[in-house]
Amino acid sequence: MAEARTGERDPEAVSQFVEGFAAQLVEAGMQRMPARVFAALLASDSGALTSAELGEQLQVSPAAVSGAVRYLAQQHMVGREREPGSRRERYRVHSNQWYEALTNRDAVIKRWEGALRAGVDSLGPATPAGRRLSETLAFFEFVDGEVAAMMERWRAHRETLFGDDA
């Protein structure tokens, strides 16, 4: 890894952070290899590494990196880009990856709301099951509105902290 070769950072300290943060992500439900790849990308100064660099840093096969990146890309947590003048791809974590991941979850919540509405209609709102589904639907509608408002507040707060270029 280029950053480790410059001697600017302690590779052991970086490794400890990567493995520690990855363990926290795994505990929260993320698969182990995507968690390690994501943490490694976060810990890189450039925010982007090639498959070979990730494999070397994490001591894993290219296939393991590929599967992890595929998962992370589906979750909108990393992006792929071509290395200038090369056929190699670099995988990049963006400064707004958490925003993107939450925004992606919004689409899932919308689908759940549609399924719950259909369930309430099918079961009847006056039945115990229909009432339970109605309450679940109300919860997701509430969360949906709160997340949208929170994301707007985050954009303003982020601009205050980091400026327009963030």
Side-chain angles (χ1 to χ4, degrees):
M1 187 170 103
E3 292 161 350
R5 284 193 297 266
T6 64
E8 294 177 9
R9 304 188 326 163
D10 176 7
E12 183 59 32
V14 173
S15 179
Q16 286 177 0
F17 164 76
V18 167
E19 296 305 328
F21 189 60
Q24 295 296 316
L25 293 172
V26 168
E27 191 172 308
M30 187 182 282
Q31 299 168 5
R32 184 171 183 270
M33 191 52 60
R36 292 181 73 214
V37 167
F38 184 70
L41 288 168
L42 276 179
S44 71
D45 285 338
S46 66
L49 297 168
T50 66
S51 181
E53 289 168 331
L54 284 163
E56 179 184 331
Q57 179 179 346
L58 300 173
Q59 296 296 294
V60 297
S61 71
V65 171
S66 177
V69 168
R70 184 172 39 255
Y71 171 83
L72 292 167
Q74 289 170 346
Q75 302 304 311
H76 303 277
M77 295 179 77
V78 302
R80 298 172 192 248
E81 58 188 37
R82 287 273 181 217
E83 223 176 35
S86 170
R87 294 181 55 190
R88 294 186 341 170
E89 284 187 327
R90 293 168 50 92
Y91 307 110
R92 175 172 298 283
V93 64
H94 298 284
S95 60
N96 63 347
Q97 75 274 353
W98 298 114
Y99 177 88
E100 292 294 327
L102 266 178
T103 301
N104 184 48
R105 297 290 184 258
D106 185 52
V108 172
I109 289 174
K110 293 282 190 214
R111 288 195 305 268
W112 290 351
E113 288 174 2
L116 287 165
R117 269 190 208 89
V120 170
D121 291 345
S122 298
L123 299 170
T127 67
R131 183 175 174 351
R132 193 168 41 253
L133 291 182
S134 292
E135 187 175 335
T136 303
L137 173 58
F139 171 77
F140 282 119
E141 289 171 337
F142 175 81
V143 167
D144 189 32
E146 289 298 306
V147 167
M150 180 184 66
M151 297 310 276
E152 187 55 42
R153 287 190 312 273
W154 166 245
R155 281 190 291 274
H157 182 68
R158 181 175 183 240
E159 186 174 325
T160 299
L161 290 174
F162 303 106
D164 291 337
D165 297 342

mmCIF file with all atom_site columns, all heavy atoms in Angstrom, residues 99-114:
data_model
loop_
_atom_site.group_PDB
_atom_site.id
_atom_site.type_symbol
_atom_site.label_atom_id
_atom_site.label_alt_id
_atom_site.label_comp_id
_atom_site.label_asym_id
_atom_site.label_entity_id
_atom_site.label_seq_id
_atom_site.pdbx_PDB_ins_code
_atom_site.Cartn_x
_atom_site.Cartn_y
_atom_site.Cartn_z
_atom_site.occupancy
_atom_site.B_iso_or_equiv
_atom_site.pdbx_formal_charge
_atom_site.auth_seq_id
_atom_site.auth_comp_id
_atom_site.auth_asym_id
_atom_site.auth_atom_id
_atom_site.pdbx_PDB_model_num
ATOM 1   N N   . TYR A 1 99  ? -24.673 9.098  4.244  1.00 0.00 ? 99  TYR A N   1
ATOM 2   C CA  . TYR A 1 99  ? -25.855 9.724  3.668  1.00 0.00 ? 99  TYR A CA  1
ATOM 3   C C   . TYR A 1 99  ? -26.424 8.836  2.564  1.00 0.00 ? 99  TYR A C   1
ATOM 4   O O   . TYR A 1 99  ? -27.617 8.574  2.515  1.00 0.00 ? 99  TYR A O   1
ATOM 5   C CB  . TYR A 1 99  ? -25.484 11.110 3.128  1.00 0.00 ? 99  TYR A CB  1
ATOM 6   C CG  . TYR A 1 99  ? -26.625 11.823 2.454  1.00 0.00 ? 99  TYR A CG  1
ATOM 7   C CD1 . TYR A 1 99  ? -27.501 12.610 3.195  1.00 0.00 ? 99  TYR A CD1 1
ATOM 8   C CD2 . TYR A 1 99  ? -26.821 11.717 1.086  1.00 0.00 ? 99  TYR A CD2 1
ATOM 9   C CE1 . TYR A 1 99  ? -28.546 13.270 2.590  1.00 0.00 ? 99  TYR A CE1 1
ATOM 10  C CE2 . TYR A 1 99  ? -27.877 12.370 0.475  1.00 0.00 ? 99  TYR A CE2 1
ATOM 11  C CZ  . TYR A 1 99  ? -28.733 13.142 1.220  1.00 0.00 ? 99  TYR A CZ  1
ATOM 12  O OH  . TYR A 1 99  ? -29.781 13.781 0.616  1.00 0.00 ? 99  TYR A OH  1
ATOM 13  N N   . GLU A 1 100 ? -25.545 8.373  1.683  1.00 0.00 ? 100 GLU A N   1
ATOM 14  C CA  . GLU A 1 100 ? -25.982 7.510  0.582  1.00 0.00 ? 100 GLU A CA  1
ATOM 15  C C   . GLU A 1 100 ? -26.601 6.213  1.098  1.00 0.00 ? 100 GLU A C   1
ATOM 16  O O   . GLU A 1 100 ? -27.616 5.750  0.591  1.00 0.00 ? 100 GLU A O   1
ATOM 17  C CB  . GLU A 1 100 ? -24.810 7.189  -0.349 1.00 0.00 ? 100 GLU A CB  1
ATOM 18  C CG  . GLU A 1 100 ? -24.294 8.374  -1.124 1.00 0.00 ? 100 GLU A CG  1
ATOM 19  C CD  . GLU A 1 100 ? -25.292 8.921  -2.123 1.00 0.00 ? 100 GLU A CD  1
ATOM 20  O OE1 . GLU A 1 100 ? -26.082 8.135  -2.684 1.00 0.00 ? 100 GLU A OE1 1
ATOM 21  O OE2 . GLU A 1 100 ? -25.291 10.139 -2.326 1.00 0.00 ? 100 GLU A OE2 1
ATOM 22  N N   . ALA A 1 101 ? -25.983 5.618  2.096  1.00 0.00 ? 101 ALA A N   1
ATOM 23  C CA  . ALA A 1 101 ? -26.497 4.356  2.646  1.00 0.00 ? 101 ALA A CA  1
ATOM 24  C C   . ALA A 1 101 ? -27.881 4.570  3.261  1.00 0.00 ? 101 ALA A C   1
ATOM 25  O O   . ALA A 1 101 ? -28.789 3.751  3.061  1.00 0.00 ? 101 ALA A O   1
ATOM 26  C CB  . ALA A 1 101 ? -25.526 3.798  3.674  1.00 0.00 ? 101 ALA A CB  1
ATOM 27  N N   . LEU A 1 102 ? -28.064 5.665  3.996  1.00 0.00 ? 102 LEU A N   1
ATOM 28  C CA  . LEU A 1 102 ? -29.373 5.935  4.589  1.00 0.00 ? 102 LEU A CA  1
ATOM 29  C C   . LEU A 1 102 ? -30.412 6.246  3.519  1.00 0.00 ? 102 LEU A C   1
ATOM 30  O O   . LEU A 1 102 ? -31.559 5.827  3.629  1.00 0.00 ? 102 LEU A O   1
ATOM 31  C CB  . LEU A 1 102 ? -29.273 7.103  5.566  1.00 0.00 ? 102 LEU A CB  1
ATOM 32  C CG  . LEU A 1 102 ? -29.055 6.745  7.013  1.00 0.00 ? 102 LEU A CG  1
ATOM 33  C CD1 . LEU A 1 102 ? -28.916 7.993  7.868  1.00 0.00 ? 102 LEU A CD1 1
ATOM 34  C CD2 . LEU A 1 102 ? -30.141 5.860  7.561  1.00 0.00 ? 102 LEU A CD2 1
ATOM 35  N N   . THR A 1 103 ? -30.011 6.981  2.503  1.00 0.00 ? 103 THR A N   1
ATOM 36  C CA  . THR A 1 103 ? -30.932 7.299  1.419  1.00 0.00 ? 103 THR A CA  1
ATOM 37  C C   . THR A 1 103 ? -31.377 6.023  0.717  1.00 0.00 ? 103 THR A C   1
ATOM 38  O O   . THR A 1 103 ? -32.547 5.872  0.374  1.00 0.00 ? 103 THR A O   1
ATOM 39  C CB  . THR A 1 103 ? -30.269 8.273  0.418  1.00 0.00 ? 103 THR A CB  1
ATOM 40  O OG1 . THR A 1 103 ? -29.901 9.459  1.125  1.00 0.00 ? 103 THR A OG1 1
ATOM 41  C CG2 . THR A 1 103 ? -31.209 8.628  -0.710 1.00 0.00 ? 103 THR A CG2 1
ATOM 42  N N   . ASN A 1 104 ? -30.462 5.084  0.535  1.00 0.00 ? 104 ASN A N   1
ATOM 43  C CA  . ASN A 1 104 ? -30.803 3.805  -0.066 1.00 0.00 ? 104 ASN A CA  1
ATOM 44  C C   . ASN A 1 104 ? -31.813 3.056  0.805  1.00 0.00 ? 104 ASN A C   1
ATOM 45  O O   . ASN A 1 104 ? -32.717 2.406  0.292  1.00 0.00 ? 104 ASN A O   1
ATOM 46  C CB  . ASN A 1 104 ? -29.537 2.966  -0.263 1.00 0.00 ? 104 ASN A CB  1
ATOM 47  C CG  . ASN A 1 104 ? -29.805 1.669  -0.963 1.00 0.00 ? 104 ASN A CG  1
ATOM 48  O OD1 . ASN A 1 104 ? -30.473 1.617  -1.978 1.00 0.00 ? 104 ASN A OD1 1
ATOM 49  N ND2 . ASN A 1 104 ? -29.291 0.590  -0.403 1.00 0.00 ? 104 ASN A ND2 1
ATOM 50  N N   . ARG A 1 105 ? -31.668 3.140  2.107  1.00 0.00 ? 105 ARG A N   1
ATOM 51  C CA  . ARG A 1 105 ? -32.598 2.478  3.024  1.00 0.00 ? 105 ARG A CA  1
ATOM 52  C C   . ARG A 1 105 ? -33.994 3.070  2.897  1.00 0.00 ? 105 ARG A C   1
ATOM 53  O O   . ARG A 1 105 ? -34.992 2.401  3.155  1.00 0.00 ? 105 ARG A O   1
ATOM 54  C CB  . ARG A 1 105 ? -32.126 2.599  4.473  1.00 0.00 ? 105 ARG A CB  1
ATOM 55  C CG  . ARG A 1 105 ? -30.821 1.933  4.776  1.00 0.00 ? 105 ARG A CG  1
ATOM 56  C CD  . ARG A 1 105 ? -30.962 0.414  4.717  1.00 0.00 ? 105 ARG A CD  1
ATOM 57  N NE  . ARG A 1 105 ? -29.725 -0.219 5.103  1.00 0.00 ? 105 ARG A NE  1
ATOM 58  C CZ  . ARG A 1 105 ? -28.850 -0.747 4.271  1.00 0.00 ? 105 ARG A CZ  1
ATOM 59  N NH1 . ARG A 1 105 ? -29.057 -0.697 2.978  1.00 0.00 ? 105 ARG A NH1 1
ATOM 60  N NH2 . ARG A 1 105 ? -27.763 -1.328 4.710  1.00 0.00 ? 105 ARG A NH2 1
ATOM 61  N N   . ASP A 1 106 ? -34.075 4.348  2.508  1.00 0.00 ? 106 ASP A N   1
ATOM 62  C CA  . ASP A 1 106 ? -35.356 5.004  2.341  1.00 0.00 ? 106 ASP A CA  1
ATOM 63  C C   . ASP A 1 106 ? -36.217 4.260  1.314  1.00 0.00 ? 106 ASP A C   1
ATOM 64  O O   . ASP A 1 106 ? -37.422 4.096  1.519  1.00 0.00 ? 106 ASP A O   1
ATOM 65  C CB  . ASP A 1 106 ? -35.131 6.457  1.917  1.00 0.00 ? 106 ASP A CB  1
ATOM 66  C CG  . ASP A 1 106 ? -36.414 7.245  1.849  1.00 0.00 ? 106 ASP A CG  1
ATOM 67  O OD1 . ASP A 1 106 ? -37.174 7.236  2.838  1.00 0.00 ? 106 ASP A OD1 1
ATOM 68  O OD2 . ASP A 1 106 ? -36.664 7.881  0.806  1.00 0.00 ? 106 ASP A OD2 1
ATOM 69  N N   . ALA A 1 107 ? -35.625 3.796  0.240  1.00 0.00 ? 107 ALA A N   1
ATOM 70  C CA  . ALA A 1 107 ? -36.374 3.056  -0.779 1.00 0.00 ? 107 ALA A CA  1
ATOM 71  C C   . ALA A 1 107 ? -36.914 1.747  -0.201 1.00 0.00 ? 107 ALA A C   1
ATOM 72  O O   . ALA A 1 107 ? -38.038 1.333  -0.527 1.00 0.00 ? 107 ALA A O   1
ATOM 73  C CB  . ALA A 1 107 ? -35.483 2.784  -1.989 1.00 0.00 ? 107 ALA A CB  1
ATOM 74  N N   . VAL A 1 108 ? -36.138 1.106  0.646  1.00 0.00 ? 108 VAL A N   1
ATOM 75  C CA  . VAL A 1 108 ? -36.586 -0.133 1.287  1.00 0.00 ? 108 VAL A CA  1
ATOM 76  C C   . VAL A 1 108 ? -37.771 0.151  2.196  1.00 0.00 ? 108 VAL A C   1
ATOM 77  O O   . VAL A 1 108 ? -38.785 -0.563 2.176  1.00 0.00 ? 108 VAL A O   1
ATOM 78  C CB  . VAL A 1 108 ? -35.427 -0.790 2.074  1.00 0.00 ? 108 VAL A CB  1
ATOM 79  C CG1 . VAL A 1 108 ? -35.918 -1.961 2.902  1.00 0.00 ? 108 VAL A CG1 1
ATOM 80  C CG2 . VAL A 1 108 ? -34.315 -1.212 1.134  1.00 0.00 ? 108 VAL A CG2 1
ATOM 81  N N   . ILE A 1 109 ? -37.678 1.210  2.987  1.00 0.00 ? 109 ILE A N   1
ATOM 82  C CA  . ILE A 1 109 ? -38.778 1.573  3.881  1.00 0.00 ? 109 ILE A CA  1
ATOM 83  C C   . ILE A 1 109 ? -40.047 1.855  3.085  1.00 0.00 ? 109 ILE A C   1
ATOM 84  O O   . ILE A 1 109 ? -41.144 1.447  3.477  1.00 0.00 ? 109 ILE A O   1
ATOM 85  C CB  . ILE A 1 109 ? -38.379 2.771  4.781  1.00 0.00 ? 109 ILE A CB  1
ATOM 86  C CG1 . ILE A 1 109 ? -37.335 2.311  5.808  1.00 0.00 ? 109 ILE A CG1 1
ATOM 87  C CG2 . ILE A 1 109 ? -39.597 3.361  5.491  1.00 0.00 ? 109 ILE A CG2 1
ATOM 88  C CD1 . ILE A 1 109 ? -36.749 3.432  6.652  1.00 0.00 ? 109 ILE A CD1 1
ATOM 89  N N   . LYS A 1 110 ? -39.921 2.541  1.952  1.00 0.00 ? 110 LYS A N   1
ATOM 90  C CA  . LYS A 1 110 ? -41.094 2.823  1.106  1.00 0.00 ? 110 LYS A CA  1
ATOM 91  C C   . LYS A 1 110 ? -41.746 1.520  0.639  1.00 0.00 ? 110 LYS A C   1
ATOM 92  O O   . LYS A 1 110 ? -42.977 1.406  0.628  1.00 0.00 ? 110 LYS A O   1
ATOM 93  C CB  . LYS A 1 110 ? -40.700 3.663  -0.109 1.00 0.00 ? 110 LYS A CB  1
ATOM 94  C CG  . LYS A 1 110 ? -40.260 5.060  0.226  1.00 0.00 ? 110 LYS A CG  1
ATOM 95  C CD  . LYS A 1 110 ? -41.445 5.935  0.500  1.00 0.00 ? 110 LYS A CD  1
ATOM 96  C CE  . LYS A 1 110 ? -40.974 7.379  0.579  1.00 0.00 ? 110 LYS A CE  1
ATOM 97  N NZ  . LYS A 1 110 ? -41.743 8.133  1.536  1.00 0.00 ? 110 LYS A NZ  1
ATOM 98  N N   . ARG A 1 111 ? -40.943 0.535  0.254  1.00 0.00 ? 111 ARG A N   1
ATOM 99  C CA  . ARG A 1 111 ? -41.505 -0.761 -0.173 1.00 0.00 ? 111 ARG A CA  1
ATOM 100 C C   . ARG A 1 111 ? -42.208 -1.446 0.992  1.00 0.00 ? 111 ARG A C   1
ATOM 101 O O   . ARG A 1 111 ? -43.281 -2.026 0.824  1.00 0.00 ? 111 ARG A O   1
ATOM 102 C CB  . ARG A 1 111 ? -40.413 -1.646 -0.767 1.00 0.00 ? 111 ARG A CB  1
ATOM 103 C CG  . ARG A 1 111 ? -39.919 -1.183 -2.142 1.00 0.00 ? 111 ARG A CG  1
ATOM 104 C CD  . ARG A 1 111 ? -39.109 -2.240 -2.866 1.00 0.00 ? 111 ARG A CD  1
ATOM 105 N NE  . ARG A 1 111 ? -37.988 -2.741 -2.109 1.00 0.00 ? 111 ARG A NE  1
ATOM 106 C CZ  . ARG A 1 111 ? -36.740 -2.257 -2.161 1.00 0.00 ? 111 ARG A CZ  1
ATOM 107 N NH1 . ARG A 1 111 ? -36.469 -1.245 -2.963 1.00 0.00 ? 111 ARG A NH1 1
ATOM 108 N NH2 . ARG A 1 111 ? -35.779 -2.778 -1.443 1.00 0.00 ? 111 ARG A NH2 1
ATOM 109 N N   . TRP A 1 112 ? -41.606 -1.382 2.172  1.00 0.00 ? 112 TRP A N   1
ATOM 110 C CA  . TRP A 1 112 ? -42.238 -1.979 3.350  1.00 0.00 ? 112 TRP A CA  1
ATOM 111 C C   . TRP A 1 112 ? -43.568 -1.300 3.645  1.00 0.00 ? 112 TRP A C   1
ATOM 112 O O   . TRP A 1 112 ? -44.554 -1.959 4.002  1.00 0.00 ? 112 TRP A O   1
ATOM 113 C CB  . TRP A 1 112 ? -41.318 -1.875 4.564  1.00 0.00 ? 112 TRP A CB  1
ATOM 114 C CG  . TRP A 1 112 ? -40.109 -2.749 4.507  1.00 0.00 ? 112 TRP A CG  1
ATOM 115 C CD1 . TRP A 1 112 ? -39.827 -3.731 3.588  1.00 0.00 ? 112 TRP A CD1 1
ATOM 116 C CD2 . TRP A 1 112 ? -38.993 -2.719 5.403  1.00 0.00 ? 112 TRP A CD2 1
ATOM 117 N NE1 . TRP A 1 112 ? -38.605 -4.300 3.863  1.00 0.00 ? 112 TRP A NE1 1
ATOM 118 C CE2 . TRP A 1 112 ? -38.083 -3.705 4.965  1.00 0.00 ? 112 TRP A CE2 1
ATOM 119 C CE3 . TRP A 1 112 ? -38.685 -1.951 6.507  1.00 0.00 ? 112 TRP A CE3 1
ATOM 120 C CZ2 . TRP A 1 112 ? -36.877 -3.934 5.623  1.00 0.00 ? 112 TRP A CZ2 1
ATOM 121 C CZ3 . TRP A 1 112 ? -37.498 -2.185 7.170  1.00 0.00 ? 112 TRP A CZ3 1
ATOM 122 C CH2 . TRP A 1 112 ? -36.601 -3.172 6.724  1.00 0.00 ? 112 TRP A CH2 1
ATOM 123 N N   . GLU A 1 113 ? -43.605 0.028  3.522  1.00 0.00 ? 113 GLU A N   1
ATOM 124 C CA  . GLU A 1 113 ? -44.853 0.744  3.767  1.00 0.00 ? 113 GLU A CA  1
ATOM 125 C C   . GLU A 1 113 ? -45.946 0.268  2.813  1.00 0.00 ? 113 GLU A C   1
ATOM 126 O O   . GLU A 1 113 ? -47.090 0.058  3.224  1.00 0.00 ? 113 GLU A O   1
ATOM 127 C CB  . GLU A 1 113 ? -44.647 2.251  3.607  1.00 0.00 ? 113 GLU A CB  1
ATOM 128 C CG  . GLU A 1 113 ? -43.851 2.887  4.716  1.00 0.00 ? 113 GLU A CG  1
ATOM 129 C CD  . GLU A 1 113 ? -43.536 4.352  4.467  1.00 0.00 ? 113 GLU A CD  1
ATOM 130 O OE1 . GLU A 1 113 ? -43.967 4.922  3.434  1.00 0.00 ? 113 GLU A OE1 1
ATOM 131 O OE2 . GLU A 1 113 ? -42.834 4.951  5.310  1.00 0.00 ? 113 GLU A OE2 1
ATOM 132 N N   . GLY A 1 114 ? -45.598 0.079  1.537  1.00 0.00 ? 114 GLY A N   1
ATOM 133 C CA  . GLY A 1 114 ? -46.578 -0.409 0.563  1.00 0.00 ? 114 GLY A CA  1
ATOM 134 C C   . GLY A 1 114 ? -47.091 -1.790 0.917  1.00 0.00 ? 114 GLY A C   1
ATOM 135 O O   . GLY A 1 114 ? -48.302 -2.059 0.842  1.00 0.00 ? 114 GLY A O   1
#
